[in-house]
Amino acid sequence: MQEPAITEALVTAHGLKPDEYDRILSLLGRAPSFTELGIFSAMWNEHCSYKSSKKWLRTLHTTGPQVICGPGENAGVVDIGDGLAVVFKMESHNHPSYIEPRQGAATGVGGILRDVFTMGARPIAAMNALSFGAADHPRTARLLRGVVEGIGGYGNAFGVPTVGGELRFHPAYDGNCLVNAFAAGLARADAIFYSAASGVGMPVVYLGSKTGRDGVGGATMASAEFGADTEEKRPTVQVGDPFTEKRLLEACLELMETGAVISIQDMGAAGLTCSAVEMGDKGGLGIRLDLDRVPCREPGMSAYEMMLSESQERMLMVLRPEKEDEARAIFAKWDLDFAVVGETIAEDRFLILHGNAVKADLPLRALSGEAPEYDRPWVETPPPPPLPVLPEIDPIEALKALIASPNHAHRAWVWEQYDSQVGADTLRTPGLGAGIVRVHGTGKALAFTSDVTPRYVRADPVQGGRQAMAEAFRNLCATGARPLAATDNLNFGNPERPEIMGQLVGAIRGIGEAARALDMPIVSGNVSLYNETEGKEILPTPTIGAVGLIEEIDGIIPATPTDGMVALVLGATNGHMGQSALAAEAWGIETGPAPAVDLESEARHGSFLRAHRDLIGAATDLADGGLALAAFEMAATAGIGITLDPGDIPTLFGEDQGRYLVACSFDQAEALMVAAARDGVPVAHVGRFGGGDVRLGHSTAPLAELDALWRGALAGIFD
């Protein structure tokens, strides 16, 4: 098949700017072939090269005594003691999920699971953070149903529990939903597998499923904003098979036990191209590939298609040659393809052969290590308009405005479609704060959470970035877990617009400050830019996934109170209503400053809570909706009423940071208040749990009435 001529239009269609193409011409001293153009397009796009964010990502706090492997590998690795490590990462599949929600979300789950088990870890938990357009937008219901079906169908069949996540709706996502997938696994701390190739003349082995035409150009598509041709991009979305992925997991883990693996890399974005280039670049080696040996499921595939296909459930490995027969037998047992498709070479060269012809001959390091890096112009985000005087509202009516909205309604309609108990180690399922999973064979557990408040980030990216980290920190502390580390998924609009680049720069600054102050380093992550359609950007959404360690399962702080417990707020309440959930849901007002985040107070309050867990009957952090929403959710989940003494709206619904709602017995409350006074931690008695009503100051409603509204709101919209 004759390759097309390289024209200006073809270069533009591959997402390459004129100066980038000039750089390619300079590097090669000639025009690239069609296959070479595709390879450059795949490796130099935003999704693979991080060319707009590299400069700022380097400023993040990424190290600590607990960190075994930080950013740069398939996933981050953190020591949890007893010779074990937790391996985790969060990654986006936004563009594919908007085009084809079921397969886009399913393959997002599959990709993040491979990122974890390619490091040698068995997955033990998954989460997802989902952002959709307005609930009444004509596309939202289809997107939500498809995404939830895709996540549940893939994760359930693969056999990993979904233990937490987020769901939000806002008109800013009407033209570009966000699907961020998180996975975590357990591995031996001394048996982590990396992607850097080593040794010259070592066989490069293709593992897993056959290569097809699905997903060709997916990474390039994910590095551009949407226009009127969105539907035409459907062929760039991959198709997943969770049962094949499960076999691939078992085969890879079995193979890793044999000592055959020198290095291994998931074939994710840009498929065979990215996996081969990254392995070679990290190892300082070249790679030769013979595409005639690549297992294909469709006849007549070109070199271009094979190199850029993003068919799922595939791995690339550098193998010890003496172990080839043993390795081949393992993959035959699991009914998976195993093919030696190339070798490592000493030269800085990426040599692609197909049909007895050279289809690409490129300097390998130029594809990865020398990819473009931009210091894009940016401007600081201006302060938002001031918050107007909010209308008077009865506290119960205010609570109803929150719990009847899709943003704060009960999420069971979503998580009941996920298997949260598979593996039999889940100790806390979705809906009760951070999810908790037992570390099998030990007395330990791991807590997982995902957090961000995009309204805050839009108003003040630095404070919004800090708050996302701080809320994740609080969610972990509220379970009794010691926060270990975090992964970030930075979802923003077009970085070529200085105001969007300013959001990204500010959010990274805030995240970095919080990571250092809270001793919660960023060990992995993903940047997803160009999330906009026809010039309308999403809310800046830097999602934080975080992991905490519970040394003894008996030390878990319960999530639900019992009848008669006292309600205390730990942390200072000033009634901050700027950018609050109540203002947004009750009146559509999204103005005013984001709440300030005092990182020193956050660290001190979290440490105090964990140190006094024996005095705490139940705890949750205070975030969206403030005290009133948190207290109602705790009470309704426990099936008991709540009486809150403060009657003013700012005290009840304000979103001051650094706060926890604690439930405990009278004697425990007295002891906790004494300890708090001694340690300089603000604490206030705010009410009690019990009875059958919800009382907010002088306003009262039956718990059963409010509970029915809360539990039925989401299903009422989308069933």
Side-chain angles (χ1 to χ4, degrees), residues 4-36:
I6 306 302
T7 63
E8 183 177 333
L10 191 64
V11 171
T12 301
H14 279 74
L16 291 164
K17 307 290 186 187
D19 61 312
E20 292 173 339
Y21 185 65
D22 288 344
R23 187 170 179 175
I24 291 171
L25 295 177
S26 176
L27 281 167
L28 300 182
R30 58 176 174 81
S33 69
F34 180 56
T35 300
E36 289 174 333

Side-chain angles (χ1 to χ4, degrees), residues 82-154:
D82 295 326
L84 296 173
V86 59
V87 179
F88 63 97
K89 187 184 181 183
M90 180 174 272
E91 195 163 68
S92 61
H93 233 220
N94 303 334
H95 284 53
S97 298
Y98 186 75
I99 297 168
E100 212 305 299
R102 188 180 186 281
Q103 288 298 338
T107 51
V109 174
I112 200 67
L113 289 169
R114 288 194 302 280
D115 281 339
V116 166
F117 71 74
T118 193
M119 303 286 291
R122 181 174 291 276
I124 61 165
M127 297 189 297
N128 52 81
L130 312 177
S131 302
F132 296 97
D136 59 357
H137 188 274
R139 290 189 71 120
T140 297
R142 173 182 168 270
L143 289 171
L144 175 64
R145 292 188 189 111
V147 165
V148 171
E149 183 182 351
I151 291 169
Y154 203 101

Side-chain angles (χ1 to χ4, degrees), residues 45 213-222 235-236 270 304-305 308-310:
N45 65 53
R213 291 188 170 95
D214 57 315
V216 172
T220 301
M221 174 271 292
T236 63
Y304 178 96
E305 290 170 328
L308 299 187
S309 168
E310 294 183 8

Side-chain angles (χ1 to χ4, degrees), residues 327-633:
R328 188 184 299 276
I330 289 171
F331 275 75
K333 181 183 79 173
W334 288 101
D335 193 24
L336 293 164
D337 279 295
F338 177 103
V340 177
V341 297
E343 66 176 352
T344 58
I345 56 179
E347 300 93 342
D348 175 23
R349 196 175 182 193
F350 192 40
L351 181 61
I352 310 299
L353 309 174
H354 185 224
N356 296 317
V358 174
K359 294 297 184 179
D361 191 352
L362 301 169
L364 187 143
R365 290 184 196 102
L367 295 169
S368 181
E370 296 179 27
E373 180 177 337
Y374 296 121
D375 184 2
R376 294 198 184 278
W378 61 277
V379 295
E380 288 192 11
T381 300
L387 183 71
V389 176
L390 298 177
E392 289 190 13
I393 187 171
D394 176 83
I396 290 294
E397 293 305 310
L399 180 62
K400 286 180 178 179
L402 289 176
I403 63 178
S405 76
N407 279 310
H408 306 288
H410 198 261
R411 301 294 197 239
W413 182 87
V414 173
W415 72 60
E416 285 177 354
Q417 299 183 55
Y418 307 149
D419 189 340
S420 61
Q421 298 285 359
V422 62
D425 283 322
T426 304
L427 300 176
R428 184 174 294 176
T429 55
L432 296 170
I436 304 176
V437 175
R438 177 190 295 111
V439 179
H440 197 68
T442 76
K444 298 179 178 181
L446 291 166
F448 303 98
T449 188
S450 169
D451 298 284
V452 67
T453 307
R455 295 188 313 277
Y456 297 169
V457 187
R458 180 181 59 185
D460 186 331
V462 176
Q463 292 296 338
R466 284 179 160 205
Q467 192 275 339
M469 287 287 288
E471 186 175 347
F473 176 85
R474 292 196 304 271
N475 268 320
L476 297 176
C477 290
T479 70
R482 174 171 58 89
L484 289 177
T487 179
D488 58 5
N489 202 148
L490 307 177
N491 307 275
F492 290 83
N494 186 341
E496 297 169 47
R497 295 166 55 192
E499 65 273 19
I500 301 299
M501 195 65 207
Q503 292 176 345
L504 176 64
V505 171
I508 291 175
R509 176 185 155 194
I511 290 168
E513 291 171 354
R516 190 175 301 277
L518 302 175
D519 190 21
M520 203 163 73
I522 304 294
V523 298
S524 60
N526 171 245
V527 179
S528 176
L529 303 179
Y530 296 95
N531 288 290
E532 54 184 73
T533 297
E534 297 180 346
K536 182 182 177 183
E537 74 276 7
I538 61 163
L539 292 180
T541 312
T543 309
I544 301 297
V547 178
L549 177 64
I550 299 169
E551 293 286 357
E552 297 179 359
I553 288 173
D554 291 345
I556 294 174
I557 299 174
T560 54
T562 58
D563 201 333
M565 282 187 169
V566 173
L568 304 177
V569 168
L570 190 156
T573 297
N574 298 306
H576 183 93
M577 293 297 292
Q579 301 295 332
S580 66
L582 179 60
E585 300 296 350
W587 303 290
I589 297 172
E590 298 183 15
T591 60
V597 179
D598 183 332
L599 294 170
E600 189 276 331
S601 293
E602 291 281 4
R604 187 172 73 254
H605 297 175
S607 296
F608 177 85
L609 187 79
R610 298 195 309 272
H612 295 88
R613 70 187 71 190
D614 292 345
L615 297 176
I616 297 172
T620 186
D621 85 300
L622 299 190
D624 267 5
L627 170 60
L629 184 58
F632 167 77
E633 290 176 345

Side-chain angles (χ1 to χ4, degrees), residues 153-179:
Y154 203 101
N156 296 354
F158 178 86
V160 61
T162 298
V163 299
E166 293 183 282
L167 174 64
R168 68 179 54 86
F169 301 88
H170 192 281
Y173 304 102
D174 282 349
N176 203 124
C177 66
L178 302 183
V179 176

